[in-house]
Amino acid sequence: MMAKLVGRSANVRLEGLQKVFGKDTLVVDIADMLIPAGEFVTLLGPSGCGKTTTLKLIAGLERPTRGAIFFGDQRVTDVAPGSRDIAMVFQNYALYPHMTVQANLEYGLKKHHVQRDERQRRITWASEVLQLERLLQRKPRELSGGQQQRVALGRAMVREPKAFLLDEPLSNLDARLRLLMRAELIRLHHTIDTTMIYVTHDQVEAMSMSQRIAVMRDGRIQQYDRPEAIYRYPGSRFVASFIGSPGINMYEGDLVSRDGVLHFVAQGVDLPLSSAIVERLSAPAGTKVTLGVRPEDVLLHVEGSPPDAPVGRVTVVESLGPETIVTLETTVGDVTARVLGMLPIDFDAQIPFSFDAARLHLFDATTGESVLRPGASTSSAKAFRSSAARLPSLVQQTQSG
Amino acid sequence: MIANYRAREGVRTGFIFTVTWLVVLVAVFPLFWALSTSLRDNQEIISRTPTLLPVDFTLENYDTMLKLSNFPQQFSNSTIIAIGSSLSVVFFGSLGAYSLTRFRFRGQGLSLRVVLLTYLFPAVLLVVPMFIILRNLKLTDSYAALIIVHTATGLPLGLWLLRAYFQSIPIELDQAAMIDGASRLETLFDVLMPQAIPGMISIFIFIFVFSWGDYLWPLILITSRSQMTLPLGLHTYMNDMGFEWGPLMAATVVFALPVVFLFTFIQSRLVRGLGAGAGAVKF
């Protein structure tokens, strides 16, 4: 009964896609983007960055001002939403309030002239996967938020579409349910293996669910890569600050060459750069840069510190159980550190700290672009969702696009 | 202090209660008197010492009304015209409201205000031009004439109220239906209209009541006896020979029944409809 839709799913390609609202408000401007068939790709960005508009352009609910959209080899830019063979899950679910769950699931199939037997087969399949069997005769208002969410997913599933489009589908749920549904969605994608394009402003959702993330800002894609790569090698200051919780520490300073060694120098900080960083560096000495340090790359030396380690005063301690977030007040500014376990740290204590020299991020202070080339490749996809059989086709599709 | 407050609250409630009941009494008494009169015989009707309730209860007036007048024909004419006008306003109002809330076009706001402006004209101003138009179309003295006129008169209200309803329906429902493969009309009929049912019922009742009770337009547009509506028919009881109070009051009571029925049984929906409309009138 577990149907795999990968055979039907198509890669989605956006080519020179632009959307202008009014006279000159450019809300989407994407030069080129390929969403490989069967992948879970997230459009991530702050509100107003154009991610939902991009999704609506793919759905056909908005018409692009310029550019083209392809599903596989088929150009769909001028194809009506109902004929694009896609399904969409909305933030507010958009279930038809006057229809039962069964009728909600069936409506799209009827409009596409699917035979009665086949309709029933798909509804049975979707309601088994999503555990909707007992809810089929209820109206949407008689369902909880999570149940409505599952019906919305079911309505998309029964269509057996080429691509699923999901517009912040978890944002109306409470925190506990959101976690549950996140896991459900990952499982669902694993089960049906179809292309999923997911829009969210929540970087945790994006990181935990996606195989690829497109970080968007002001209508443009800032970086499009595997979640691990985006986290470890952010291409810009914006991407670095948007991904990660608590946020990355940022300090303005200069690259200074001294005795043949490059240093990052700021007020109260003189940090020699490790060879691992210098190898990847593309900016000359004298460049004004922003240093980025992830909280987990800040090392607190509670016992036995390096001799010249700077010292910070503890201002905030947040014990979360498996980890503790410590904020220090230092000469360079606030430093947030993430340490494993629950540390007995007192407020106002003076603690020496240092940065993991191999895992620093450097950005051009003016443009915000990273001045480090990406390092060694991270794993190409999350292990549990990529199989040896699928990888070659993925690579081929990526190259052909 | 508390006792004082309670006493003041009591007086306040009592006052509002009294005023409300006075208004209800003034409004309902004529209807009650019509009902009461329709159940008396002629002697009792013209008696100089009237009683509140009939002394000799009789249905004779109803019998006379049905036998002597063209009442069944007029009742059926009125019903066809009122239902026709109401359905027509609901239908065209829904289409208009859909386009006003779902499309953007030049002069959208202006068109809405102009529509409202037509509602502000007293009907008498429109009598002559409307008569000429309908005469040129050879539509006078027909159901169609009254349905067209009542639709034209009621549509502004229908459009405004239904617009408020359609505005409150999330656009995502349209989008979901479109992605499901529905055309615009299918979206309107399958998905949006069912959400606007309370508003559509309210408009239906409003236009029904207006069309049912309208005297002016039938007087101008209807000439033959067979096309007469009930309000015109009622007038035939007042002739050169005097007033036939008994049958007139019996006809009045039957005339009022559909309206009373509509208000009694569908009142809750009507209130909801008004509530939605009230919010929408603000720009």
Side-chain angles (χ1 to χ4, degrees):
Chain A
M1 209 58 181
M2 290 287 181
K4 293 252 178 189
L5 301 183
V6 72
R8 286 192 27 72
S9 70
N11 55 20
V12 176
R13 195 153 51 87
L14 313 180
E15 226 179 61
L17 197 67
Q18 288 193 334
K19 177 70 185 175
V20 178
F21 279 145
K23 280 198 175 143
D24 50 3
T25 316
L26 187 63
V27 287
V28 172
D29 184 11
I30 297 174
D32 194 28
M33 181 181 186
L34 176 80
I35 296 160
E39 275 210 8
F40 195 120
V41 172
T42 297
L43 305 177
L44 173 69
S47 35
C49 74
K51 54 192 190 300
T52 295
T53 309
T54 306
L55 197 74
K56 286 184 173 170
L57 287 168
I58 297 172
L61 296 171
E62 295 276 1
R63 288 178 63 86
T65 314
R66 268 177 288 280
I69 300 164
F70 294 88
F71 288 175
D73 295 330
Q74 190 197 357
R75 186 188 159 107
V76 296
T77 321
D78 300 314
V79 175
S83 311
R84 291 195 181 193
D85 203 2
I86 42 130
M88 187 157 169
V89 178
F90 293 85
Q91 183 172 359
N92 59 3
Y93 319 134
L95 300 176
Y96 310 124
H98 59 295
M99 296 186 196
T100 60
V101 170
Q102 164 104 17
N104 263 285
L105 297 180
E106 213 168 10
Y107 185 73
L109 299 179
K110 280 184 179 165
K111 290 294 158 203
H112 281 88
H113 311 293
V114 176
Q115 294 297 315
R116 180 191 293 262
D117 294 348
E118 176 62 11
R119 291 206 300 261
Q120 202 47 53
R121 183 194 71 76
R122 293 195 198 177
I123 290 171
T124 313
W125 164 65
S127 43
E128 263 176 31
V129 174
L130 297 167
Q131 296 163 8
L132 295 171
E133 294 105 324
R134 290 167 167 216
L135 309 176
L136 287 176
Q137 296 314 316
R138 294 211 199 151
K139 294 267 179 75
R141 63 169 175 276
E142 298 164 337
L143 305 177
S144 68
Q147 288 170 331
Q148 288 187 24
Q149 171 64 263
R150 296 214 303 272
V151 176
L153 279 172
R155 187 170 65 178
M157 276 169 67
V158 293
R159 293 276 312 283
E160 301 194 349
K162 280 185 183 157
F164 270 72
L165 311 181
L166 302 109
D167 184 11
E168 309 219 14
L170 305 187
S171 58
N172 282 8
L173 301 175
D174 63 49
R176 193 186 63 85
L177 207 51
R178 202 176 306 160
L179 273 180
L180 273 176
M181 287 307 294
R182 211 160 78 189
E184 282 289 322
L185 267 177
I186 295 174
R187 196 173 303 134
L188 180 68
H189 180 240
H190 185 56
T191 308
I192 60 178
D193 240 352
T194 193
T195 314
M196 285 195 173
I197 307 174
Y198 189 96
V199 161
T200 184
H201 61 267
D202 183 337
Q203 52 101 10
V204 180
E205 267 176 31
M207 290 294 289
S208 59
M209 298 165 77
S210 326
Q211 286 164 306
R212 279 170 206 261
I213 298 175
V215 183
M216 291 186 72
R217 183 195 195 185
D218 298 335
R220 293 193 173 83
I221 293 182
Q222 300 283 308
Q223 193 168 358
Y224 180 39
D225 213 329
R226 304 279 176 201
E228 301 86 348
I230 283 187
Y231 189 77
R232 288 190 57 186
Y233 307 113
S236 67
R237 198 164 48 194
F238 171 76
V239 173
S241 63
F242 199 76
I243 304 267
S245 173
I248 192 167
N249 297 295
M250 299 267 200
Y251 310 103
E252 302 291 327
D254 297 285
L255 280 182
V256 176
S257 177
R258 199 180 298 143
D259 308 331
V261 179
L262 271 177
H263 291 243
F264 170 82
V265 180
Q267 194 180 4
V269 177
D270 189 335
L271 193 68
L273 299 181
S274 71
S275 57
I277 295 291
V278 174
E279 272 171 21
R280 292 167 48 212
L281 187 67
S282 59
T287 314
K288 283 198 171 304
V289 290
T290 307
L291 172 75
V293 189
R294 297 249 176 237
E296 60 271 28
D297 300 331
V298 176
L299 312 169
L300 297 187
H301 305 288
V302 184
E303 294 162 2
S305 66
D308 54 349
V311 174
R313 186 174 68 89
V314 176
T315 54
V316 182
V317 179
E318 298 162 82
S319 293
L320 305 175
E323 61 185 26
T324 305
I325 313 294
V326 182
T327 307
L328 303 174
E329 190 183 79
T330 71
T331 50
V332 69
D334 278 357
V335 174
T336 306
R338 182 209 301 264
V339 285
L340 285 179
M342 296 180 77
L343 286 188
I345 295 176
D346 292 328
F347 282 83
D348 291 332
Q350 298 285 337
I351 296 186
F353 68 94
S354 61
F355 299 142
D356 183 340
R359 302 182 66 140
L360 302 177
H361 306 278
L362 287 169
F363 308 99
D364 188 302
T366 343
T367 63
E369 298 294 314
S370 175
V371 293
L372 298 179
R373 285 180 293 272
S377 172
T378 50
S379 60
S380 59
K382 287 186 180 172
F384 67 93
R385 270 191 286 169
S386 70
S387 64
R390 260 188 57 206
L391 268 176
S393 73
L394 177 75
V395 174
Q396 200 179 6
Q397 279 157 357
T398 314
Q399 284 166 348
S400 71
Chain B
M1 194 73 176
I2 289 171
N4 197 356
Y5 171 74
R6 280 200 181 146
R8 261 189 300 152
E9 275 297 288
V11 170
R12 222 173 89 95
T13 315
F15 177 74
I16 291 172
F17 208 69
T18 314
V19 170
T20 309
W21 275 107
L22 273 175
V23 171
V24 169
L25 200 68
V26 170
V28 170
F29 187 78
L31 195 61
F32 165 78
W33 195 244
L35 178 67
S36 168
T37 307
S38 72
L39 298 170
R40 300 165 204 253
D41 63 22
N42 245 340
Q43 287 297 318
E44 208 183 320
I45 290 173
I46 54 171
S47 152
R48 284 182 174 276
T49 53
T51 52
L52 210 54
L53 294 172
V55 180
D56 288 323
F57 182 86
T58 173
L59 289 173
E60 187 191 310
N61 291 321
Y62 289 85
D63 199 39
T64 318
M65 169 195 85
L66 287 174
K67 275 184 189 146
L68 293 184
S69 76
N70 207 6
F71 187 86
Q73 173 73 52
Q74 291 160 3
F75 192 91
S76 126
N77 291 347
S78 273
T79 308
I80 291 169
I81 289 164
I83 289 181
S85 312
S86 311
L87 286 180
S88 158
V89 169
V90 166
F91 179 74
F92 290 112
S94 300
L95 290 184
Y98 176 78
S99 78
L100 281 170
T101 54
R102 264 43 183 181
F103 299 120
R104 288 191 166 278
F105 51 87
R106 223 176 261 277
Q108 193 167 19
L110 184 72
S111 66
L112 202 62
R113 282 172 181 76
V114 169
V115 162
L116 196 67
L117 201 66
T118 62
Y119 194 59
L120 302 179
F121 281 113
V124 177
L125 276 184
L126 302 173
V127 161
V128 175
M130 196 67 100
F131 179 79
I132 293 171
I133 291 172
L134 289 167
R135 192 193 55 192
N136 289 348
L137 291 172
K138 299 194 175 13
L139 282 175
T140 47
D141 202 23
S142 69
Y143 292 155
L146 283 175
I147 292 178
I148 290 172
V149 169
H150 288 166
T151 303
T153 330
L155 201 54
L157 179 72
L159 198 62
W160 271 80
L161 203 103
L162 286 171
R163 177 176 156 267
Y165 260 90
F166 278 85
Q167 233 163 14
S168 70
I169 303 171
I171 191 83
E172 283 82 4
L173 276 188
D174 301 46
Q175 296 177 338
M178 278 185 209
I179 287 178
D180 268 345
S183 66
R184 281 211 174 265
L185 270 186
E186 284 172 329
T187 306
L188 175 64
F189 288 117
D190 294 351
V191 178
L192 300 184
M193 278 192 175
Q195 316 309 317
I197 281 176
M200 288 158 74
I201 288 180
S202 310
I203 286 301
F204 184 92
I205 295 176
F206 267 125
I207 305 303
F208 186 94
V209 171
F210 156 71
S211 173
W212 184 258
D214 183 34
Y215 182 74
L216 176 70
W217 288 109
L219 184 68
I220 287 151
L221 296 170
I222 302 296
T223 44
S224 59
R225 279 186 73 83
S226 65
Q227 300 290 314
M228 268 191 186
T229 59
L230 269 181
L232 285 187
L234 287 183
H235 201 252
T236 57
Y237 296 99
M238 302 173 235
N239 52 32
D240 300 343
M241 311 292 286
F243 284 46
E244 293 176 53
W245 284 115
L248 175 62
M249 287 302 121
T252 306
V253 168
V254 180
F255 174 64
L257 277 182
V259 177
V260 172
F261 170 83
L262 279 177
F263 272 95
T264 314
F265 291 94
I266 320 182
Q267 190 197 24
S268 61
R269 291 211 182 251
L270 181 76
V271 172
R272 277 165 64 188
L274 282 174
V281 179
K282 294 175 198 155
F283 285 94

